[in-house]
Amino acid sequence: MLERLESLRQDALARVAEATDAEALRVLEKELLGKEGVISEILAAIPTLPQEERRDTGRGANALKGELLEAIGSKRALLDEALVEALRDGGGFDPTLPPATPARGGLHPITQVRREVEAIFTSMGYEVLDGPEVELDYYNFQALNVPVDHPSRELQDTFYCDDSHTVVMRTQTSPVQIRAMERLKPPFRVIAPGRVFRNEEQDATHEHTFHQVEGLVVGEDIQVGHLTWTLRRLLNELFERELEVRLRPGYFPFVEPGFEFDVRCPFCEDGCRVCSQTTWIEFCGCGMVQPCVLEAGFSGREDVDVSKLTGFAFGFGLDRLVMMRFGIDDIRNLMGGDLRFLEQFPC
Ligand code: PHE
């Protein structure tokens, strides 16, 4: 038995010395000193040995146990130190390699086109305004010449926010017209891009949440010609060429006269999917601001003589413009939040 202890000792110490990492050392420790390891096995076998061998075997085994514990302990310290050393030297890190490129976000296609529109209008001296998306019925309807119970409310299916119907999700950006009149001193030119909401059945061309850009110019001697010039200028800049346009009579309670402003389809000569085979695209509603809307917006303003003022207003859908620009055929993609869609419009 004593010879076995000696050969075990040599073999074990050699293997401890050869262990290359902490894990190998842990496995070896278990094999030698664990509950079911060789030393335990030898100690357990002592009662079966002849009487005269028992004492020396017991001592030898315990001494070996101590020796191995110590050898393993110092080997572990050595390995730890080597590991720290390696990390300090870079641990296989190559500082000359190029860095991993971080995933980059981008601007939503609606944001891209909105900024383009804003740049065109600011170059014409317009100020860009913002307004609340949760709006008072007063601004969204009443001040815009749509009294409570007026049938034209049916034209826009409204999300009401309270039982008394005083608060609505704005159905249009037109309420910003009133807020602009309350705050600004004429003459002024503003646009107000933003999100609007309608309680509509969704399909490829209808969303409950979409975007409009409102425009309002107020001053003395503002006429229809200023309106059409402005919209033509916008379209020429957006499509980078002169496009034919037309005005048709249109009904909006807050303008008089009111128009539908159409533009010749920039994508075809004789009808395509974008213009529903008509060669015309309905671009926006517009018109001359109703005098009673000016009265409401400037009411209580002693610094403003409403009788001298006229103005024009327009409102167009941004989503439609984005769809035309990027060839998107389903509006639901825009607010769908699917990255596979959004990543196709890097910017
Ligand atoms: N707010 C109208 C709509 O949403 C568009 C419009 C704006 C019409 C300004 C005339 C003047 O349909």
Side-chain angles (χ1 to χ4, degrees):
M1 198 41 128
L2 290 175
E3 296 93 80
R4 184 175 166 208
L5 277 178
E6 181 51 29
S7 82
L8 175 64
R9 178 175 169 277
Q10 286 178 11
D11 177 60
L13 288 174
R15 287 175 67 196
V16 169
E18 279 161 18
T20 50
D21 58 45
E23 174 61 14
L25 195 61
R26 201 185 57 76
V27 172
L28 186 58
E29 183 176 29
K30 196 171 166 211
E31 186 186 322
L32 298 171
L33 303 172
K35 259 197 219 124
E36 282 157 34
V38 266
I39 300 284
S40 301
E41 191 191 304
I42 290 169
L43 288 172
I46 288 176
T48 68
L49 295 177
Q51 186 68 46
E52 63 279 10
E53 285 185 24
R54 290 184 192 172
R55 202 186 61 181
D56 288 349
T57 305
R59 278 197 187 149
N62 277 316
L64 179 54
K65 192 175 174 179
E67 196 178 348
L68 291 179
L69 265 175
E70 203 181 299
I72 289 171
S74 22
K75 177 69 181 183
R76 180 165 290 134
L78 269 181
L79 286 174
D80 284 352
E81 206 174 303
L83 192 66
V84 172
E85 247 349 279
L87 285 176
R88 228 177 247 147
D89 288 348
F93 172 73
D94 182 350
T96 65
L97 288 176
T101 26
R104 236 186 110 184
L107 296 177
H108 193 283
I110 290 179
T111 307
Q112 295 179 33
V113 176
R114 173 175 57 75
R115 290 192 178 179
E116 216 178 300
V117 167
E118 287 174 0
I120 293 168
F121 278 105
T122 46
S123 80
M124 293 194 272
Y126 281 66
E127 192 182 336
V128 180
L129 298 186
D130 204 2
E133 294 174 351
V134 179
E135 186 54 285
L136 291 172
D137 181 276
Y138 170 78
Y139 290 102
N140 194 77
F141 289 124
Q142 291 172 47
L144 290 166
N145 194 28
V146 185
V148 182
D149 297 332
H150 191 278
S152 75
R153 287 195 183 213
E154 309 281 311
L155 299 175
Q156 303 179 355
D157 301 292
T158 310
F159 287 114
Y160 287 97
C161 299
D162 60 343
D163 291 338
S164 64
H165 290 191
T166 37
V167 181
V168 304
M169 299 303 290
R170 67 174 177 188
T171 60
Q172 49 187 349
T173 42
S174 302
V176 188
Q177 287 188 33
I178 305 299
R179 292 182 175 276
M181 293 179 210
E182 287 181 345
R183 270 189 37 222
L184 302 177
K185 182 147 173 65
F188 62 77
R189 297 167 241 195
V190 297
I191 56 164
R195 264 200 295 199
V196 300
F197 311 86
R198 290 191 197 174
N199 190 359
E200 290 192 359
E201 216 48 70
Q202 281 173 263
D203 61 29
T205 54
H206 294 90
E207 251 286 20
H208 50 66
T209 300
F210 55 103
H211 302 75
Q212 292 186 332
V213 179
E214 194 78 11
L216 174 67
V217 171
V218 176
E220 294 184 14
D221 294 327
I222 302 293
Q223 310 148 16
V224 176
H226 299 128
L227 167 64
T228 50
W229 182 90
T230 305
L231 291 174
R232 291 177 74 139
R233 173 77 195 273
L234 168 69
L235 290 165
N236 291 348
E237 295 278 334
L238 281 175
F239 293 101
E240 293 176 328
R241 73 195 134 107
E242 192 94 26
L243 289 169
E244 198 184 345
V245 297
R246 71 178 182 193
L247 282 182
R248 290 177 292 123
Y251 172 66
F252 303 95
F254 34 91
V255 285
E256 178 61 38
F259 309 106
E260 301 274 359
F261 186 93
D262 300 340
V263 58
R264 204 48 115 172
C265 179
F267 303 110
C268 70
E269 300 256 297
D270 40 28
C272 69
R273 217 167 36 105
V274 180
C275 59
S276 320
Q277 313 302 329
T278 64
T279 77
W280 289 101
I281 291 174
E282 288 182 18
F283 181 67
C284 73
C286 57
M288 302 306 294
V289 182
Q290 265 279 2
C292 72
V293 172
L294 293 172
E295 292 282 353
F298 291 110
S299 67
R301 287 280 297 267
E302 276 163 21
D303 57 332
V304 177
D305 181 357
V306 183
S307 69
K308 291 218 175 87
L309 296 175
T310 51
F312 70 74
F314 58 83
F316 62 85
L318 196 54
D319 309 72
R320 164 79 90 72
L321 210 54
V322 173
M323 290 166 77
M324 280 162 67
R325 167 60 55 92
F326 294 115
I328 298 163
D329 56 11
D330 191 326
I331 192 173
R332 289 168 294 192
N333 282 320
L334 292 176
M335 292 281 97
D338 188 335
L339 287 178
R340 291 168 304 176
F341 167 78
L342 294 171
E343 281 165 357
Q344 293 173 47
F345 312 99
C347 162

